[in-house]
């Protein structure tokens, strides 16, 4: 018979309940403010549901009626400089944090509300209704609320999607040494999502000051928590990561306040993250003004049981028992909250022919549709631009490409303390797997962060760093295929953030990755990501093909306030070319292509490692072709002036890329070309791509899957023959 020894978790797991002594000791002003916040949020949510029921809220209305205690209790434990983010059901959290900010001295439940409280309520309601007066100018709606000044980092429609970003903000606080903390709110549905668990692990490993605040309202839409997990006490998740965890009655705002103060004590002492699980209940369905029982997944007895524990009634009863406020004053408070919301709604709507509608002048202008998707690059003002052919500094004609990568990153980290590099193994192996981060961990140990194998978490963490504004993160994906592991953070979060939150929120982040076709790493390590990123909103893309260009384009990427994908290629790492000897501070403009070889009969558009391969083929064939290295690949940065000037001269265009046909960058580019230069083309746009399938391990099949010099030569001959042109200039 073996011996069995019970193991003890590294972190404590406790339930916290306010005692009678705590209730007796509750500061009257804190209690009065808490009650005021609860009533203001309840009235706000009731008005949202009223408007939604009348068709005046476009899209979902995820109310948090019944859940206010968790938001108010935790927000009142925070400093104004602490931060929060949340998920799709977050009106109450947004308002609780914002109310604590605009009324830092407290709210008198027996006085008229001041203008700041009213303005906050109106601006929030306008956003939920999709109006230009909202915090995000109507783009965010119910699920995307951001007010950075008040500490609201931005709520999120992807369940659990904002959790990694909150960890990034927590890292920035930790690095700044302010003692500030971040609360990330999510529900029982998000607890089992990979990005949440990945972030818990990373936050615990790095001792980040973040509170994972779980609102356990029992239902993810209609699925009960007991159906989704064998351990419905969700705070147990913390134990697996060594995170202290507290379970608390979320219907009791005072118990939440006490638990939050204890969490803050741990986090502010530098002891790492905390989990708080608040047991609470949403009175209504996932979306809209009907209860869950109307849809058959809850019964009325259960709903009545929870309503009997209403957080407003409970706190009001305590304050009345202690004679801090009277029954009539509570009734007056609730009436004033409802009246204020009625007035605000009346300022946003009008009645025409007996029907209520949104006042038409309050809608955003249609011209605002794409504004702010990316910034205007005004941050590049004052940059010194250089090109290799006009560079006056010393050049090393035989510099290795990978050395230029490492050298410029070292230079930028040496001159800009905001820059942080993170990714798998970037701090080991003498500069990661390819040497791109050589020397960084030795010279900048606090800013070269080797991460767990958790792309979703560390990519989102970098996004949170960037959104915070004090950090410029550089992420390394060992291979671009790993973007699919982090797809939510890459595309839903980073790429959309600036636009989604109104267009004014910079996202200064660089994502480095390498195309590894030809290395034998197979289908899941070999893709060219340009086509995917170019068809996703928000990203800028650069693809340097020479050491000199890498330095200039990386400097521009690190200066830019938009997210920038920097694509590298393993074929280029060992290649040699001209690079600056000691001047690593120049930029190359985002949006400026380079004519690599002039010509008059054919325009060839290409990028990355295919630039030199194409040039060699053209020289071997003796073709009168103009080769353009695109360098900047995103829609906003394509150099149409250079491209169009060439095509007007040649009337003939060929796009050359190495990667798979299905995710082809050239497909997007060809579509744009035929819209712009159709009248100048003597024949359709021609393309060279790889095969439909991803490269596989077999050396022969991998070679066949990638576009090769023979494919380029074949396409050039066809493009010239279709016009009846000789290969060479006559």
């Amino acid at each position: 018979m073996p011996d069995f020894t019970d193991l003890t978790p590294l972190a404590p797991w406790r339930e916290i309940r306010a005692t009678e002594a705590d209730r007796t000791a509750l500061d009257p002003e804190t209690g009065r403010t808490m009650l005021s916040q609860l009533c203001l949020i309840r009235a706000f949510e009731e008005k949202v549901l009223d408007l939604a029921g009348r068709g005046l809220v476009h899209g979902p209305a995820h109310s948090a009626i019944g859940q206010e205690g968790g938001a108010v209790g935790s927000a009142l434990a925070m400093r104004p400089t602490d931060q929060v983010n949340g998920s799709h059901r977050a009106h109450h959290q947004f308002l609780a944090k914002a109310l604590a900010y605009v009324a830092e001295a407290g709210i008198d439940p027996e006085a008229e509300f001041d203008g700041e409280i009213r303005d906050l309520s109106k601006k929030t309601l306008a956003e939920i209704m999709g109006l230009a007066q909202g915090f995000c100018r109507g783009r965010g709606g119910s699920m995307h609320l951001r007010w950075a000044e008040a500490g609201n980092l931005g709520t999120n429609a992807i369940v659990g999607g904002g959790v990694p970003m909150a960890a990034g903000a927590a890292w920035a606080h930790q690095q700044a040494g302010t003692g500030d903390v971040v609360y990330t709110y999510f529900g029982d549905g998000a607890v089992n999502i990979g990005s949440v668990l990945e972030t818990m692990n990373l936050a615990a490993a790095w001792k980040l000051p973040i509170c994972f605040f779980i609102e356990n309202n029992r239902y993810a839409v209609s699925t009960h928590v007991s159906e989704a997990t064998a351990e419905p006490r969700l705070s147990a998740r913390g134990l697996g990561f060594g995170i202290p965890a507290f379970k608390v009655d979320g219907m009791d705002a005072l118990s939440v306040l006490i638990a939050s103060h204890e969490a803050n004590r741990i986090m502010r002492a530098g002891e790492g993250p905390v989990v708080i699980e608040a047991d609470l209940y949403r009175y209504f369905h996932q979306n809209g003004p009907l209860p869950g029982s109307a849809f058959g997944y809850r019964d009325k007895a259960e709903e009545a049981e929870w309503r009997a524990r209403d957080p407003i009634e409970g706190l009001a009863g305590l304050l009345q028992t202690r004679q801090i406020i009277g029954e009539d004053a509570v009734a007056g408070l609730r009436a004033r909250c409802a009246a204020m919301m009625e007035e605000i709604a009346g300022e946003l709507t009008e009645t025409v022919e007996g029907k209520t509608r949104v006042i038409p002048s309050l809608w955003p202008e249609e011209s605002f549709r794409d504004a702010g998707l990316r910034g205007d690059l005004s941050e590049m003002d004052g940059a010194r631009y250089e090109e290799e052919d006009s560079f006056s500094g010393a050049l090393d004609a035989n510099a290795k490409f990978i050395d230029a990568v490492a050298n410029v990153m070292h230079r930028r980290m040496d001159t800009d303390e905001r820059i942080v590099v993170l990714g798998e193994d970037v701090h080991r192996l003498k500069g990661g797997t390819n040497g791109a981060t050589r020397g960084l961990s030795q010279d900048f140990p606090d800013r070269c962060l080797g991460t767990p194998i958790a792309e979703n978490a560390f990519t989102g963490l970098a996004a949170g760093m960037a959104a915070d504004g004090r950090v410029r993160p550089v992420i390394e994906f060992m291979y671009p295929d790993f973007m699919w592991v982090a797809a939510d953070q890459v595309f839903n979060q980073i790429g959309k953030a600036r636009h989604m939150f109104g267009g004014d929120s910079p996202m200064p982040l660089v994502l480095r990755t390498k195309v590894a076709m030809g290395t034998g790493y197979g289908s899941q390590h070999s893709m060219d990501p340009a086509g995917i990123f170019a068809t996703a909103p928000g990203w800028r893309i650069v693809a340097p093909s020479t050491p000199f260009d890498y330095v200039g384009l990386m400097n521009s990427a690190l200066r830019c306030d938009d997210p920038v994908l920097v694509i590298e290629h393993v074929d280029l790492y060992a290649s040699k070319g001209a690079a600056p000897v000691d001047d690593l501070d120049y930029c190359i403009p985002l949006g400026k292509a380079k004519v690599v070889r002039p010509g008059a009969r054919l325009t060839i558009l290409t990028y990355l490692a295919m630039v030199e391969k194409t040039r060699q083929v053209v020289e071997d064939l003796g073709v009168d072709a103009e080769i353009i290295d695109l360098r900047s690949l995103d829609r906003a940065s394509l150099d149409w002036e250079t491209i169009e000037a060439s095509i007007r001269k040649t009337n003939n265009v060929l796009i050359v890329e190495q990667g798979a046909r299905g995710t082809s960058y050239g497909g997007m580019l060809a579509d744009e070309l035929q819209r712009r230069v159709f009248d100048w083309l003597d024949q359709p746009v021609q393309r060279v791509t790889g095969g439909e399938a991803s490269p596989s391990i077999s050396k022969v099949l991998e070679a066949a899957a990638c576009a090769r010099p023979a494919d380029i030569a074949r396409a050039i001959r066809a493009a010239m023959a279709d016009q009846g042109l000789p290969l060479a200039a006559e």
Side-chain angles (χ1 to χ4, degrees):
M1 185 71 175
D3 290 333
F4 292 90
T5 303
D6 290 336
L7 300 177
T8 303
L10 292 176
W13 184 25
R14 298 189 177 110
E15 185 168 2
I16 296 179
R17 292 182 182 177
T19 64
E20 286 305 312
D22 293 320
R23 298 183 191 284
T24 301
L26 174 62
D27 172 61
E29 292 308 310
T30 299
R32 287 162 66 85
T33 295
M34 192 180 295
L35 181 64
S36 299
Q37 280 211 16
L38 289 170
C39 291
L40 281 164
I41 294 170
R42 176 69 60 86
F44 182 93
E45 292 285 68
E46 288 173 341
K47 179 48 65 177
V48 169
L49 289 185
D50 171 52
L51 294 172
R54 291 189 282 155
L56 295 170
V57 174
H58 182 64
H62 299 110
S63 84
I65 294 177
Q67 300 185 190
E68 301 93 343
V72 171
S74 55
L76 285 178
M78 296 183 207
R79 301 171 178 172
T81 49
D82 292 333
Q83 294 175 312
V84 304
N85 76 355
S87 195
H88 58 284
R89 189 183 314 285
H91 305 164
H92 56 322
Q93 297 147 7
F94 179 88
L95 287 169
K97 184 66 172 74
L99 284 166
Y101 177 77
V102 300
E104 187 178 355
I107 303 174
D108 183 350
E110 298 181 79
E112 294 296 324
F113 301 122
D114 66 25
E116 286 191 292
I117 290 175
R118 193 180 192 284
D119 290 346
L120 165 64
S121 302
K122 183 175 181 178
K123 201 169 183 179
T124 308
L125 185 61
E127 183 58 48
I128 290 169
M129 295 174 71
L131 307 183
Q133 296 73 30
F135 279 99
C136 303
R137 304 183 190 179
R139 282 182 176 158
S142 173
M143 298 184 289
H144 310 289
L145 296 166
R146 174 178 166 88
W147 187 22
E149 181 183 335
N152 276 298
L153 294 169
T155 60
N156 207 290
I158 303 298
V159 175
V163 174
M165 296 181 71
W171 187 91
H173 290 321
Q174 181 190 66
Q175 196 75 355
T178 59
D180 291 335
V181 303
V182 180
Y183 276 62
T184 183
Y185 297 93
F186 52 94
D188 46 285
V191 166
N192 304 312
I193 287 176
S195 60
V196 174
L197 301 175
E198 286 181 21
T199 305
M200 285 184 176
N201 177 65
L202 195 153
W206 291 2
K207 293 191 177 301
L208 300 181
I210 180 173
C211 178
F212 299 95
F213 195 102
I214 305 167
E215 290 188 318
N216 188 353
N217 65 25
R218 301 298 189 275
Y219 292 92
V221 187
S222 62
T223 301
H224 193 269
V225 65
S226 62
E227 301 175 77
T229 178
E231 175 50 278
R233 298 171 300 172
L234 303 179
S235 46
R237 299 298 192 273
L239 304 186
F241 302 106
I243 301 175
F246 303 133
K247 187 174 176 63
V248 65
D249 180 3
M251 306 300 276
D252 178 7
L254 177 56
S255 289
V256 176
L257 178 68
I258 293 169
S260 299
H261 277 307
E262 178 61 15
N264 293 346
R265 182 193 64 77
I266 293 169
M267 292 186 287
R268 297 196 205 281
E271 297 174 16
V274 180
V275 170
I276 295 178
E277 176 192 7
D279 286 317
L280 34 70
Y281 201 73
R282 58 172 165 86
Y283 293 171
F284 293 91
H285 180 52
Q286 164 77 355
N287 170 35
L290 296 175
S293 56
F295 297 86
Y297 63 88
R298 300 193 304 209
D299 60 50
K300 293 182 178 180
E302 176 186 298
E303 292 172 344
E305 179 184 346
W306 280 93
R307 280 182 176 268
R309 299 173 52 207
D310 186 86
I312 295 177
E313 298 297 334
L315 181 61
L318 169 62
L319 298 181
Q320 289 173 50
T321 298
R322 287 192 51 200
Q323 298 184 342
I324 292 172
I325 194 170
E327 183 178 351
D328 290 345
V330 173
L333 168 64
R334 300 194 70 165
R336 283 198 309 282
C337 292
M340 182 183 74
M341 291 310 306
E342 186 67 24
E343 291 172 7
I344 288 170
E347 293 167 9
L348 301 176
T349 59
E350 63 183 7
T351 301
V352 177
E353 297 179 353
K355 186 175 181 179
T356 304
R357 68 177 188 183
V358 172
I359 297 173
S361 63
L362 301 183
W363 293 112
E365 296 289 336
E366 287 191 0
S367 59
F368 188 56
R369 182 192 66 185
D370 294 335
L373 178 61
R374 300 174 185 84
D376 60 5
L377 294 181
S378 58
E379 65 272 23
M380 305 302 292
D381 291 348
R384 174 171 62 90
Y385 293 118
E386 299 281 1
E387 293 288 355
E388 183 180 337
D389 58 7
S390 59
F391 185 67
S392 60
L395 289 172
D396 178 356
N398 291 302
K400 288 183 67 173
F401 192 102
I402 193 63
D403 290 342
V405 175
N407 291 343
V408 71
M409 278 307 307
H410 195 285
R411 172 63 176 168
R412 292 281 66 80
M413 292 186 75
D414 192 39
T415 57
D416 189 345
E417 293 184 352
R418 297 173 299 171
I419 296 175
V420 173
V421 173
L422 66 162
E424 295 154 7
D425 295 306
V426 295
H427 63 321
R428 296 279 192 268
L429 306 175
K430 297 182 180 180
T433 54
N434 294 99
T437 54
R438 184 191 65 237
L440 301 186
S441 62
Q442 291 76 30
D443 293 345
F444 314 103
D446 296 335
R447 295 190 284 132
C448 184
L449 311 177
T451 66
I453 299 174
E455 277 82 6
N456 214 20
F458 72 70
T459 301
L461 185 137
M465 291 177 175
D468 175 85
R470 291 174 288 183
V471 183
R472 283 185 174 268
V474 179
I475 310 166
E476 179 181 299
F477 278 2
M478 200 176 289
Y479 294 93
D481 309 67
F482 299 173
M483 72 177 181
W484 297 121
V485 181
D488 175 43
Q489 297 301 320
V490 169
F491 300 117
N492 274 327
Q493 312 300 340
I494 296 170
K496 295 177 181 177
R498 181 193 277 269
H499 183 267
M500 182 170 68
F501 291 127
D504 299 323
S505 302
M507 181 58 71
L509 175 150
V510 170
L511 170 57
R512 291 181 46 251
T513 193
K514 63 175 184 275
V515 177
M517 293 179 189
T519 61
Y521 269 73
S523 295
Q524 296 174 338
H525 287 68
S526 303
M527 76 176 297
D528 176 350
I532 301 298
F533 276 82
T535 53
W539 282 89
R540 295 187 185 271
I541 310 166
V542 297
S545 64
T546 69
F548 185 93
D549 285 2
Y550 189 94
V551 172
L553 288 169
M554 177 54 82
N555 282 334
S556 290
L558 287 170
R559 190 169 178 138
C560 183
D561 283 341
D562 296 322
V564 183
L565 172 69
V566 178
I567 312 177
E568 301 160 13
H569 200 296
V570 291
D571 286 355
L572 295 175
Y573 282 156
S575 68
K576 294 182 178 180
V581 174
D582 50 20
D583 179 2
L584 294 166
D585 297 327
Y586 63 88
C587 294
I588 287 174
L590 300 176
K592 183 63 177 174
K594 179 172 66 175
V595 177
V596 174
R597 181 187 188 278
R601 301 298 181 87
L602 174 65
T603 297
I604 303 178
L605 306 177
T606 188
Y607 61 95
L608 217 59
M610 298 306 279
V611 173
E612 180 58 21
K613 288 181 170 64
T614 300
R615 190 193 65 76
Q616 291 177 359
V617 170
V618 167
E619 295 295 335
D620 290 345
L621 292 175
V623 180
D624 187 15
E626 183 152 290
I627 302 172
I628 297 177
D629 181 355
L630 294 170
R631 299 198 296 195
S632 291
L633 304 182
D634 57 275
R635 291 180 187 273
S637 304
L638 279 165
D639 184 358
W640 288 111
E641 182 179 355
T642 298
I643 294 168
E644 291 179 10
S646 179
I647 294 173
R648 289 190 177 105
K649 177 173 57 175
T650 66
N651 310 118
N652 196 11
V653 61
L654 171 68
I655 301 170
V656 176
E657 59 184 322
Q658 186 180 31
R661 188 176 304 132
T663 54
S664 164
Y665 173 75
M668 181 278 289
L669 182 57
D671 175 70
E672 290 287 340
L673 283 167
Q674 296 193 121
R675 294 173 190 277
R676 287 175 173 268
V677 298
F678 181 82
D679 290 342
W680 294 92
L681 293 174
D682 289 340
Q683 63 177 337
V685 174
Q686 306 294 307
R687 292 170 56 200
V688 174
T689 70
E692 181 180 357
S694 301
S696 48
I697 295 292
S698 166
K699 189 172 183 179
V700 172
L701 295 178
E702 180 182 45
C706 303
R708 294 171 283 186
D711 301 310
I712 301 171
R714 190 179 306 113
I716 290 173
R717 289 191 179 97
M720 302 295 274
D722 286 349
Q723 286 195 98
L725 294 172
L727 288 180
E730 295 177 346

